[in-house]
Amino acid sequence: MWWPPWLAAWLAWAAGAGAGRPAPLCGSGGLCRAPLGPNASHPAPGHCPRQRGAAELCAWPLSSESLLDTFPVDATQENYVRNVRNCIFSVVYPTPFKSRVRLVAVSKEVLENILDLDISVKGTSDFLQFVSGGKVILGSVPLAHRHGERWELQLKGSGKTPYSRNGDGRAVLRSSVREFLCSEAMHYLGIPTSRAASLVVSDDDVWRDQFYNGNIKKERGAIVLRLAKSWFRIGSLEILAHSGELDLQRRLLDFIIQEHFPSIAMNDSNRYLEFFSTVVSETANLIALWMSVGFAHGVCNTDNFSLLSITIDYGPFGFMESYDPNFVLNTSDDERRYKIGNQANVGLFNLSKLLQALKPLLDPRQKQLASQILEGYGEHYYIRFTELFKTKLGLLGENEDDNYLIAFLLQLMEDTKADFTMTFRQLSEITEDQLKELHIPEEFWALQDLGKHKLFSEWVTMYLLRLNRNKGDSDAKRRTRMTTVNPRYILRNWMAESAVQKANLNDFSEVQLLQQILQHPFQRQQAAEKAGYSLRPPAWAKDLKVSCSS
């Protein structure tokens, strides 16, 4: 099927992309082609800009056939908020900023290793226009190929879509800084996540009521160019099932399986069952990984749960500092539904919604088997959680008391309000002799807090006895092993806030410093130590809050 260039130029997910919309990628001519739309700039047709780095953009390899040949596109071309039926995509042009745009930060790894662009491209005006939504390229579609991999790109904050409800489709600087930094930080922590290629800020005014208390303030608009192998979520299937569009739902599901679940045979009559089983186990794995680093997502609804089981949509997220199963950073979550200790249960709830959406496509036997698969979610999660925390404690082999040892420690941490990240990190650095003597040096401040508990010595005795059962191990090996899984640096809320405050004054130095530090979270770094990133959080950090507007 042939699509006119204007139709293929900009597409938005009909499953509710909100402010995040797919970015245009250049076609066979790359930026050598004239852009489209009334607000776009107009280089001469067929002219390739001679700026340094432009050659890489012009040679960007793209493919659109699989999506455009598979799914219908919204027949309505006007961009206004509405209910959309019988399609997966809608045509949407970006809304360029009216004022000056500045490049705040880029990810060198994303540009070079994923998008096949030289880092020098960041210095070109074409790149700045592209990542800020100011240039629409002929033949643009939200797909890019590299060595057999497909990445879908979104410009988060580039204006309204039919799914923006009452919003303006914009993002502000504070939330964009947080998303850019956290998505990259999670990647380097080894947690499946979307990636961020660039962050730009404008001088356009965007009005926000950050805490929904009537205090509306003027902020600056920003855009994050973010990537994922797919942005389809549980909600993408849920909305089609709810509206009774079962043929389209089947087509979408088959596409997702064929593109992203290669181990599932398309001619297998149980392919939807196999798909569900994989999503159940991988979701359990993802949430266990979140828990292993103390990450709270903030809004774990079905629209924010990826079908590929990666972390997406960084809004009111936070890394837990003092260990507290009831930790909630999102001030919008009045009912504490998404507290960190409830994330596994919320995952189960969302998977049950996925099963409900899939049921019209399953026969009675498959429905029964799918229900049994869902019942196994808890065991998947428990096993993975235990594995991760045993690794964090440096435990090798199996012991019937390991679960108790982990639970005992977490209870001590909760009672003493010990710092989650630094407790495990300092256990990775302290020697067994120091622990045995209960001699906790001052630099191990989190362990000193833990040591105030009357049962600390009892736990230490159990822990050391367990370490002695590690076959072929030594104290040096244990510490080396543990420091590779227990980060010294995470994106604490106060660190992000400090970077945001400076960025508001056009000082992007801390954004760039944090980006560098968080690429090596397990390694002690002089710049991070100087900045106090491994010290106790400052007193002012206790009053920080984030909301769904963050």
Side-chain angles (χ1 to χ4, degrees), residues 148 229 253-268 271 274-275 278 308:
K229 295 292 183 66
L253 190 53
D254 283 342
F255 173 83
I256 292 170
I257 293 172
Q258 185 170 10
E259 293 292 323
H260 303 291
F261 295 80
S263 63
I264 302 177
M266 292 305 299
N267 60 358
D268 187 347
R271 62 186 181 279
E274 293 296 323
F275 162 79
T278 302
L308 270 58

Side-chain angles (χ1 to χ4, degrees), residues 88-107:
I88 297 294
F89 304 112
S90 294
V91 177
V92 180
Y93 287 91
T95 305
F97 289 123
K98 298 178 181 179
S99 63
R100 176 182 56 175
V101 179
R102 300 184 184 187
L103 184 65
V104 176
V106 299
S107 169

Side-chain angles (χ1 to χ4, degrees), residues 339-404:
K339 64 184 180 182
I340 194 169
N342 199 41
Q343 289 187 138
N345 290 330
V346 172
L348 177 61
F349 176 84
N350 290 341
L351 290 169
S352 69
K353 291 296 184 181
L354 175 59
L355 176 55
Q356 186 175 341
L358 293 177
K359 279 185 175 180
L361 307 181
L362 305 177
D363 62 33
R365 182 189 64 85
Q366 291 170 335
K367 291 177 183 178
Q368 183 179 5
L369 291 174
S371 296
Q372 294 174 1
I373 290 170
L374 187 60
E375 290 175 2
Y377 165 83
E379 183 177 1
H380 278 295
Y381 173 78
Y382 182 72
I383 291 173
R384 187 64 177 128
F385 180 94
T386 303
E387 290 174 348
L388 290 168
F389 277 80
K390 283 179 61 176
T391 302
K392 289 174 71 68
L393 286 174
L395 308 182
L396 301 177
E398 301 294 331
N399 187 280
E400 60 182 8
D401 294 329
D402 287 348
N403 293 339
Y404 178 76

Side-chain angles (χ1 to χ4, degrees), residues 133-171:
K135 176 166 286 191
V136 179
I137 309 302
L138 182 64
S140 298
V141 290
L143 300 176
H145 271 286
R146 177 181 186 272
H147 305 313
E149 291 187 344
R150 172 180 295 132
W151 291 84
E152 297 173 7
L153 276 64
Q154 286 189 347
L155 289 178
K156 183 175 182 179
S158 62
K160 288 185 177 181
T161 75
Y163 323 108
S164 298
R165 295 183 292 274
N166 294 324
D168 57 16
R170 288 299 189 192

Side-chain angles (χ1 to χ4, degrees), residues 96-369:
F97 289 123
K98 298 178 181 179
S99 63
R100 176 182 56 175
V101 179
R102 300 184 184 187
L103 184 65
V104 176
V106 299
S107 169
K108 185 175 186 291
E109 183 192 4
V110 171
L111 289 183
E112 295 191 339
N113 294 348
I114 295 179
L115 298 179
D116 274 347
L117 297 174
D118 189 270
I119 189 62
S120 63
V121 76
K122 72 175 185 178
T124 67
S125 62
D126 291 281
F127 178 78
L128 182 59
Q129 290 184 62
F130 170 68
V131 300
S132 62
K135 176 166 286 191
V136 179
I137 309 302
L138 182 64
S140 298
V141 290
L143 300 176
H145 271 286
R146 177 181 186 272
H147 305 313
E149 291 187 344
R150 172 180 295 132
W151 291 84
E152 297 173 7
L153 276 64
Q154 286 189 347
L155 289 178
K156 183 175 182 179
S158 62
K160 288 185 177 181
T161 75
Y163 323 108
S164 298
R165 295 183 292 274
N166 294 324
D168 57 16
R170 288 299 189 192
V172 294
L173 181 59
R174 58 181 161 82
S175 61
S176 301
V177 165
R178 287 168 57 83
E179 171 144 1
F180 178 86
L181 290 175
C182 196
S183 56
E184 289 300 284
M186 292 283 274
H187 169 73
Y188 290 105
L189 286 170
I191 297 175
T193 179
S194 58
R195 303 294 304 276
S198 63
L199 166 63
V200 298
V201 63
S202 76
D203 291 331
D204 281 22
D205 294 339
V206 177
W207 296 89
R208 286 292 182 270
D209 183 355
Q210 183 177 358
F211 297 112
Y212 309 104
N213 57 7
N215 187 19
I216 301 176
K217 292 183 178 180
K218 181 173 65 177
E219 301 190 51
R220 299 167 71 191
I223 291 177
V224 174
L225 173 57
R226 58 184 190 173
L227 299 75
K229 295 292 183 66
S230 172
W231 291 98
F232 287 119
R233 309 114 188 279
I234 291 177
S236 303
L237 296 173
E238 196 177 17
I239 192 172
L240 295 176
H242 180 73
S243 60
E245 298 172 79
L246 299 185
D247 179 64
L248 190 54
Q249 181 190 13
R250 187 184 298 274
R251 290 166 63 185
L252 175 57
L253 190 53
D254 283 342
F255 173 83
I256 292 170
I257 293 172
Q258 185 170 10
E259 293 292 323
H260 303 291
F261 295 80
S263 63
I264 302 177
M266 292 305 299
N267 60 358
D268 187 347
S269 61
N270 290 317
R271 62 186 181 279
Y272 299 153
L273 195 63
E274 293 296 323
F275 162 79
F276 181 65
S277 178
T278 302
V279 175
V280 167
S281 59
E282 289 302 314
T283 298
N285 176 61
L286 177 65
I287 299 179
L289 284 167
W290 287 356
M291 299 297 289
S292 74
V293 295
F295 175 79
H297 185 281
V299 184
C300 296
N301 57 36
T302 55
D303 276 343
N304 291 336
F305 258 54
S306 163
L307 289 172
L308 270 58
S309 303
I310 63 172
T311 314
I312 58 173
D313 293 340
Y314 291 90
F317 70 84
F319 285 89
M320 177 172 57
E321 294 184 352
S322 297
Y323 178 73
D324 179 8
N326 294 311
F327 169 69
V328 175
L329 193 62
N330 180 7
T331 58
S332 306
D333 187 5
D334 296 329
E335 297 179 357
R336 308 178 74 84
R337 174 179 174 82
Y338 301 125
K339 64 184 180 182
I340 194 169
N342 199 41
Q343 289 187 138
N345 290 330
V346 172
L348 177 61
F349 176 84
N350 290 341
L351 290 169
S352 69
K353 291 296 184 181
L354 175 59
L355 176 55
Q356 186 175 341
L358 293 177
K359 279 185 175 180
L361 307 181
L362 305 177
D363 62 33
R365 182 189 64 85
Q366 291 170 335
K367 291 177 183 178
Q368 183 179 5
L369 291 174

Side-chain angles (χ1 to χ4, degrees), residues 321 412-413 416-427 440-452 456 492 534-536:
E321 294 184 352
L412 298 186
M413 293 170 64
T416 59
K417 297 182 177 4
D419 188 270
F420 179 82
T421 298
M422 294 310 292
T423 294
F424 283 100
R425 178 67 187 198
Q426 290 169 10
L427 282 173
I440 311 297
E442 186 176 349
E443 64 178 297
F444 298 135
W445 53 269
L447 291 183
Q448 285 190 335
D449 290 346
L450 194 67
K452 296 175 183 178
F456 177 65
R492 295 176 183 268
S534 65
L535 300 179
R536 290 184 187 276

